[in-house]
Amino acid sequence: MRNKLKIGLFGFGCVGSGLYEVLNQSGLFNAHIEKIVVKDPAKDRSLPKNQFYYDPDVILEDLEINVVVELIDDAEAAYEIVTKAFKKGKHVVSANKKLIAEHLIELLTLKDEYGVSFLYEASSCASIPVIRNLEEYYNNDSLTGIEGICNGTTNYILTRLNNELRSFEEILKDAQDVGFAETDPTLDIDGFDSKFKLQILILHTFGLITTPQEVLNIGIRHIKEKDILFAKEKGYRIRLVSFARRIEEKIVAYVAPQFVRDSSFAYDINFEFNGVSIEALFSDKQVFIGKGAGSFPTASAVLSDISALQFDYKYEYKKLDECKATLANEAFLRAFVSSSDPESLKQIEFLEVDEEFVSQDYAYKVGTISLSQINHDLYRTHPELFISFFADSEICLHDPTKENKKAVNV
Ligand SMILES: NC(=O)c1ccc[n+]([C@@H]2O[C@H](COP(=O)([O-])OP(=O)(O)OC[C@H]3O[C@@H](n4cnc5c(N)ncnc54)[C@H](OP(=O)(O)O)[C@@H]3O)[C@@H](O)[C@H]2O)c1
């Protein structure tokens, strides 16, 4: 028996208007958008003005509406809408990664308290059906890692930097002109958006709840043309990767640029495309690739959530109860650090240096570093540094250089 879904839609921008179209074309006859709430009464829209409301309570206090679809671009207003919708016994579908990542525990507790469903497939990689797969399909296979290119804006910029060898500032400006980057690009280029998505992926991969403060995000703002040249000469491309891997009972997680080779799933994911690689004990690596943004692709994931609500679908979060792992507060890995000011390379302590180069206006080092010395403050206060890790190098919980020395002494 399918439930009849009476939808209150918040937001009629890129995704909201896409959902309206996609739902009309989908043949999902059990679901109907009853009311739409937006913000700006003066805006011209593709539907007649009398179809829009501006007071959230028009939806939230409507007893007939049983599903709220929240597709607005304001995480704080979304928090008010979603929590009130739960309290009114309404199921919620959202695409808002910032809202979810910042309020994970509270939202999960509240939706349980009021016995409603909260689905958010579009929040992680837009059209790529990763969350429901992590919840359902990989339920019995032990997941060991997840890596994603989860942000179309930075991938677009990095692809063009690789192809055109122009400055970051020039390509960012182009990306803004063609609508692939926001006027304020901070959330994208400093890796916050990728981090919010990673937090959601970590929850559904390992059952671990994290806060934005706990997960490192460093972005691509400080990349230089010489860094791209270095990568090209060595057969790498640079990608901004959302990374989480379980090692013993620790989860190493970060968002950072990575040098990837053609053996990596990320190498051929170009422009605004997203990709996710899931690693499990038995099935090994599997890769999903698809559109990580855009009106119809994102709306397709929202539609899929709405469709699942016909059958009372809820995420079960089984891994939450079983999770024994905690976030690692230390890890060792191979890094590349470059600077236009050679002196400032001293900010990063290398345990072992494999390669280095110094000239008057550019220097780099490649070698093993401890991850704990990289933090948000260092990234913010040293705009001259570009830091990137290597996708093909091992990541360890213990200092591998000490282990090597022990082996030599023996
Ligand atoms: N765009 C994508 O490709 C994409 C992909 C994945 C996830 N998402 C997520 O989807 C959500 C929507 O993104 P979008 O790109 O569709 O944004 P958008 O094009 O900027 O549209 C935002 C919509 O939200 C409405 N709005 C803002 N504050 C509101 C409030 N307080 N009450 C009611 N309505 C309000 C705006 O109203 P007005 O029309 O009156 O201004 C507008 O219709 C965001 O959480 C975003 O992160 C987007």
Side-chain angles (χ1 to χ4, degrees):
M1 177 75 178
R2 292 169 189 237
N3 298 324
K4 229 174 166 42
L5 306 176
K6 296 194 168 191
I7 298 171
L9 172 63
F10 284 89
F12 201 73
C14 175
V15 187
S17 62
L19 176 71
Y20 188 89
E21 283 293 315
V22 163
L23 189 61
N24 278 341
Q25 290 179 33
S26 71
L28 188 63
F29 301 118
N30 274 352
H32 184 254
I33 296 177
E34 305 287 324
K35 289 175 180 168
I36 307 172
V37 168
V38 287
K39 191 174 173 187
D40 180 1
K43 216 181 232 181
D44 282 335
R45 307 193 190 263
S46 56
L47 296 176
K49 264 208 154 44
N50 63 8
Q51 297 212 21
F52 294 93
Y53 299 88
Y54 307 94
D55 174 5
D57 282 344
V58 170
I59 288 177
L60 296 169
E61 297 291 347
D62 185 331
L63 298 178
E64 292 287 302
I65 288 178
N66 54 2
V67 176
V68 160
V69 177
E70 179 280 301
L71 299 173
I72 73 172
D73 57 342
D74 173 343
E76 274 155 44
Y79 171 81
E80 300 301 327
I81 291 165
V82 169
T83 50
K84 186 159 182 190
F86 287 163
K87 290 175 187 169
K88 293 283 170 185
K90 300 180 195 306
H91 305 297
V92 174
V93 174
S94 171
N96 204 321
K97 52 263 171 179
K98 188 167 190 279
L99 160 78
I100 300 164
E102 286 178 343
H103 300 281
L104 259 175
I105 293 184
E106 191 186 347
L107 293 174
L108 299 193
T109 309
L110 208 59
K111 64 123 188 107
D112 280 348
E113 192 179 327
Y114 289 89
V116 290
S117 178
F118 181 37
L119 304 179
Y120 40 83
E121 186 62 73
S123 66
S124 266
C125 289
S127 76
I128 302 178
V130 62
I131 297 176
R132 208 158 339 140
N133 268 302
L134 289 168
E135 274 288 298
E136 304 298 329
Y137 182 83
Y138 293 100
N139 200 23
N140 298 310
D141 199 349
S142 179
L143 291 166
T144 49
I146 188 153
E147 291 172 49
I149 293 185
C150 302
N151 181 273
T153 302
T154 44
N155 208 49
Y156 176 86
I157 293 172
L158 288 170
T159 306
R160 288 203 44 195
L161 281 171
N162 181 72
N163 294 351
E164 298 169 37
L165 276 180
R166 286 159 64 202
S167 75
F168 173 77
E169 288 72 22
E170 278 176 284
I171 301 283
L172 172 63
K173 167 90 180 48
D174 274 7
Q176 287 168 323
D177 291 346
V178 294
F180 280 123
E182 307 271 345
T183 321
D184 176 0
T186 309
L187 284 183
D188 293 320
I189 65 172
D190 290 329
F192 289 98
D193 179 81
S194 297
K195 191 239 303 264
F196 299 144
K197 293 165 173 173
L198 177 63
Q199 285 181 255
I200 297 168
L201 295 176
I202 289 173
L203 171 65
H204 291 277
T205 305
F206 303 112
L208 181 70
I209 292 180
T210 56
T211 64
Q213 293 71 30
E214 288 174 318
V215 181
L216 174 70
N217 57 294
I218 55 176
I220 63 165
R221 190 187 284 272
H222 309 154
I223 196 167
K224 297 168 283 301
E225 284 160 84
K226 285 181 179 155
D227 302 325
I228 301 277
L229 270 176
F230 169 91
K232 286 186 108 158
E233 272 171 27
K234 310 268 177 184
Y236 290 109
R237 286 179 183 164
I238 301 175
R239 295 286 180 257
L240 186 69
V241 176
S242 300
F243 177 96
R245 178 163 304 156
R246 197 181 67 204
I247 306 174
E248 297 157 22
E249 289 303 337
K250 293 285 175 198
I251 290 164
V252 179
Y254 64 76
V255 170
Q258 273 190 357
F259 287 101
V260 303
R261 283 207 191 281
D262 58 2
S263 52
S264 161
F265 81 98
Y267 189 86
D268 280 321
I269 297 176
N270 289 312
F271 296 103
E272 71 274 28
F273 276 81
N274 279 194
V276 185
S277 166
I278 295 172
E279 199 170 338
L281 203 57
F282 306 127
S283 52
D284 208 346
K285 278 193 182 172
Q286 288 173 319
V287 176
F288 295 76
I289 297 172
K291 290 200 168 154
S295 182
F296 281 11
T298 311
S300 77
V302 178
L303 180 72
S304 178
D305 283 347
I306 293 172
S307 174
L309 285 176
Q310 293 180 106
F311 307 100
D312 291 320
Y313 181 73
K314 287 187 169 108
Y315 300 142
E316 290 184 59
Y317 300 99
K318 285 182 228 151
K319 295 170 197 161
L320 252 183
D321 300 328
E322 292 157 12
C323 178
K324 293 191 195 73
T326 52
L327 268 186
N329 44 29
E330 184 57 291
F332 297 85
L333 72 185
R334 198 157 171 264
F336 166 97
V337 184
S338 76
S339 177
S340 44
D341 166 18
E343 264 299 292
S344 74
L345 278 189
K346 290 185 183 148
Q347 294 298 325
I348 310 281
E349 190 191 334
F350 278 76
L351 303 166
E352 211 166 53
V353 177
D354 306 340
E355 193 182 335
E356 62 187 311
F357 170 85
V358 186
S359 72
Q360 227 171 19
D361 60 350
Y362 182 70
Y364 69 75
K365 272 188 190 174
V366 177
T368 306
I369 64 161
S370 77
L371 192 56
S372 64
Q373 67 180 306
I374 316 275
N375 56 42
H376 298 134
D377 273 350
L378 178 95
Y379 175 73
R380 241 193 331 268
T381 54
H382 286 281
E384 71 283 5
L385 292 178
F386 174 67
I387 304 166
S388 178
F389 303 134
F390 287 83
D392 54 2
S393 80
E394 213 187 335
I395 185 158
C396 314
L397 293 181
H398 307 287
D399 180 349
T401 61
K402 280 194 182 146
E403 274 156 29
N404 290 347
K405 276 174 203 146
K406 252 193 250 162
V408 172
N409 290 340
V410 167

